[in-house]
Every structure is written in structure tokens, then in C-alpha cells.
Amino acid sequence: MKKNAKGVLLCLLIAVPAWFLGTLFPVVGGPVFAILIGMAVTLVLKDKKEVQPGIGFTSKKILQYAVILLGFGLNLTDILIKGKQSLPIIISTISTSLIIAALMFALMKMPYKISALVGVGSSICGGSAIAAAAPVVGADDEEIAQSISVIFLFNIAAALIFPTLGHLLGLSNEGFGLFAGTAINDTSSVTAAASAWDGIHGSNTLQAATIVKLTRTLAIIPVSLMLAFIRVKTEKNKDTANIQFKQIFPVFILFFILASVITTVFNLPAFVTSPLKNLSKFFIVMAMAAIGLNTNIIRLIKTGGKPILMGFCCWVGITCVSLGMQYILGIW
């Protein structure tokens, strides 16, 4: 604790204003503000020797704690009952994003870790999915920051464009709830888009869109395990590799599942789960502050072109498949 205290405190001091800015501007969100403030602070903080251990602890361990606490927001019974209609669309959109990311990784010779994070973040649930996948693939802070930045860009675009697009396409209220929940990757942007739709149409799609989004969150489990297997297989093909699956097995995912099971079995009420979900979100903001502190903004900008293109292709692919599946299933 003594070794980490100063760095954790610095991340906390950045996270608090970032959190409040995120509540004022939910389309941007606290994690993005935290990364930006962290990158600004690191430009003037030349000697980080005393705070670096705590920054590292926050960007790794607290990020994993955030994923575990996220499980308390998932009542599996509610998700299975209310989210089953969206399951074919969710599976299709997640598969589409991961396939596009894999193809672009091969064709554009992009770094594997960024490709994996952008693909996972686009397909599942933005920052939370990146938080879960990052330690599994061994991503560093700059790779995490770059992936979060790409996701943020298309979150804003979706929140602004999708309500108008859904109206022009003649989507029903049910159809837009499915569209927002399956084609927008971050909860804050899903909420923003669904709220805008409700304001225009006087409907109540926000709850439906949120349930669909929570159903997508469960994909963190199989995708994280898949990435762990891929990493082991890749490393074994290298001469210097000596990595074993048990070394990189995402143990925190087991606690994420346990938290979800506890919420389901004991049917925890909202007054219990709500603070835990908020703490999860705040821990993510803290971790993003640490990641910002470890990120070189100039290098991030210089190397951002290909990840942005990948994010755009994943976003377009998910949007088209979400709408196409609704049309095939007769929901539109």
C-alpha cells in the first residue's frame, strides 16, 4: 500500500473531475475525460518515479476489479427472459465485428493487440470489454488508450446519428431498442441514443435497449477465454515462448461470473446492485486516468490512422448486420 498510495491517489484526483464531467456529457463519458486529463498531466509531470507503481496498479488491478463489480449488474434470469429475442442479432453482430477485425489485422498488418481490443470493444461493450480483454492479450497502456479512443469516436457518432437514421428507416420502437442495444458499443451512448429516440417518439425504448446491451456484456466471458487460447497458441509457435494457459487465464472473469450468479440467485435488489455498478464505472474511470498518465499523446495521434479505419469498418459492419437481421427476423 505504501508503494502504491501516491500513484493511486493521483489517479483518484484525476478520476473525480472526469467522473463529474462524464455525468454532464454522457455521450463522451468519464473514461474518455480521464484519459485526456491523464495525458495532459503526464505532459507536465516529468518525474513519475514515485507515482509509477501506483499508476501501474490502478491500470491493471483496479481495472480487473471494475470488471468483477460489473457482474453485480447482471441478473441472468432477467437477461435470459427479456434478452433472448435479441440473441441471434447479438451473436451475428459480435461475429461480424470480430471477423472484420481479424481480416483487417491480416490485410493491413496491424498490431495484434490493438486489433483484438478494437474488435472486442466494437462488438461487445466498449470500455468494459476492453478492460476485460486487455490483460488477457497482454496489451500495454498506450494500446488500451488507443482502442478506447477509437471506440469513443464511433460511440459519439452512433449516439448522434442513430435516432435520426432509425426514424428515416421507419424502425418501430421495439426495433430501435434492438438496434441501439446491438449496434452501439458503450452503455452511456446506448442510453443517450435511446433517450433521444424516446424524446422524439414519446416511447419507452430505454429499458429494452439497456437489457439488450447487458445481454451483450455476457459475451465478455467466451471472448476473453478465446483470446487466451489464441495467445497461448501464438506464443507456442515462437522460439522463445514458454507461456502456459494457466499463466494468462483471466481469473477475474470467474469472479465476474460469480458476481452475476450471486445477483441472480439472491435476486439482489437495485439498492444493493446500483452502488456496486457505479463503483465499477468509477474504477474504470480511475484505470483510464492511469492509462492516460502512461500514454504519449503525440505517438497516439501518429499511429491512430489504421485503428480508426478498423473501428469504422467494424461499426459499419455491425450497423448493417443489426438492421439486416431485424429485417430477416421480421422485427423491423
Side-chain angles (χ1 to χ4, degrees):
M1 288 300 295
K2 185 178 179 182
K3 180 179 71 173
N4 294 329
K6 290 183 179 179
V8 172
L9 180 60
L10 176 61
C11 295
L12 178 64
L13 291 174
I14 293 172
V16 170
W19 172 270
F20 284 109
L21 285 170
T23 60
L24 290 174
F25 305 98
V27 175
V28 179
V32 173
F33 281 117
I35 287 176
L36 293 175
I37 296 171
M39 288 192 294
V41 169
T42 205
L43 289 175
V44 297
L45 189 65
K46 299 303 180 183
D47 184 7
K48 294 193 292 185
K49 186 166 62 175
E50 288 192 6
V51 295
Q52 193 59 52
I55 292 172
F57 175 83
T58 305
S59 70
K60 299 295 188 295
K61 291 296 182 182
I62 289 184
L63 193 57
Q64 293 180 18
Y65 299 154
V67 176
I68 294 168
L69 290 171
L70 184 68
F72 286 106
L74 301 175
N75 187 307
L76 302 178
T77 302
D78 289 345
I79 288 172
L80 289 173
I81 293 172
K82 299 175 185 176
K84 60 184 179 181
Q85 181 188 29
S86 62
L87 198 57
I89 304 174
I90 290 171
I91 293 171
S92 300
T93 52
I94 290 174
S95 301
T96 298
S97 179
L98 295 177
I99 290 168
I100 289 172
L103 289 173
M104 294 191 72
F105 158 70
L107 294 173
M108 298 172 61
K109 299 186 178 357
M110 284 183 58
Y112 167 70
K113 294 173 185 178
I114 291 178
S115 301
L117 294 184
V118 171
V120 169
S122 298
S123 63
I124 302 176
C125 53
S128 300
I130 290 172
V136 178
V137 300
D140 63 31
D141 287 348
E142 287 200 2
E143 289 165 332
I144 296 171
Q146 195 159 58
S147 305
I148 291 282
S149 301
V150 170
I151 297 304
F152 152 73
L153 181 63
F154 296 107
N155 275 341
I156 289 185
L160 296 176
I161 294 170
F162 279 13
T164 303
L165 177 62
H167 179 73
L168 292 174
L169 293 173
L171 289 178
S172 63
N173 292 330
E174 180 188 12
F176 187 79
L178 283 169
F179 180 45
T182 54
I184 304 176
N185 46 46
D186 189 79
T187 303
S188 60
S189 295
V190 171
T191 302
S195 298
W197 177 271
D198 287 344
I200 295 168
H201 297 273
S203 58
N204 186 27
T205 63
L206 178 58
Q207 183 180 4
T210 304
I211 290 170
V212 173
K213 174 67 177 59
L214 291 175
T215 306
R216 281 171 68 195
T217 303
L218 291 175
I220 285 175
I221 300 165
V223 170
S224 295
L225 294 175
M226 178 191 73
L227 290 172
F229 278 115
I230 291 172
R231 184 178 173 191
V232 170
K233 186 177 179 181
T234 303
E235 293 292 335
K236 280 184 177 178
N237 291 333
K238 297 178 181 178
D239 295 335
T240 57
N242 192 28
I243 195 167
Q244 300 294 322
F245 182 73
K246 63 182 180 181
Q247 292 176 284
I248 61 167
F249 179 80
V251 176
F252 64 94
I253 291 293
L254 295 180
F255 290 103
F256 166 81
I257 297 169
L258 179 61
S260 303
V261 170
I262 290 170
T263 299
T264 305
V265 171
F266 295 100
N267 196 23
L268 297 182
F271 74 84
V272 174
T273 59
S274 244
L276 294 173
K277 286 192 289 183
N278 285 331
L279 183 59
S280 169
K281 293 174 184 177
F282 186 76
F283 276 0
I284 287 179
V285 173
M286 271 188 74
M288 292 307 119
I291 285 164
L293 287 165
N294 279 340
T295 300
N296 184 314
I297 189 171
I298 297 170
R299 189 158 59 238
L300 187 71
I301 293 169
K302 284 182 178 179
T303 58
K306 287 183 178 180
I308 289 173
L309 179 59
M310 175 182 280
F312 174 75
C313 292
C314 289
W315 181 59
V316 171
I318 289 170
T319 300
C320 293
V321 169
S322 177
L323 292 170
M325 285 295 293
Q326 281 201 54
Y327 184 79
I328 292 169
L329 295 172
I331 301 171
W332 193 324

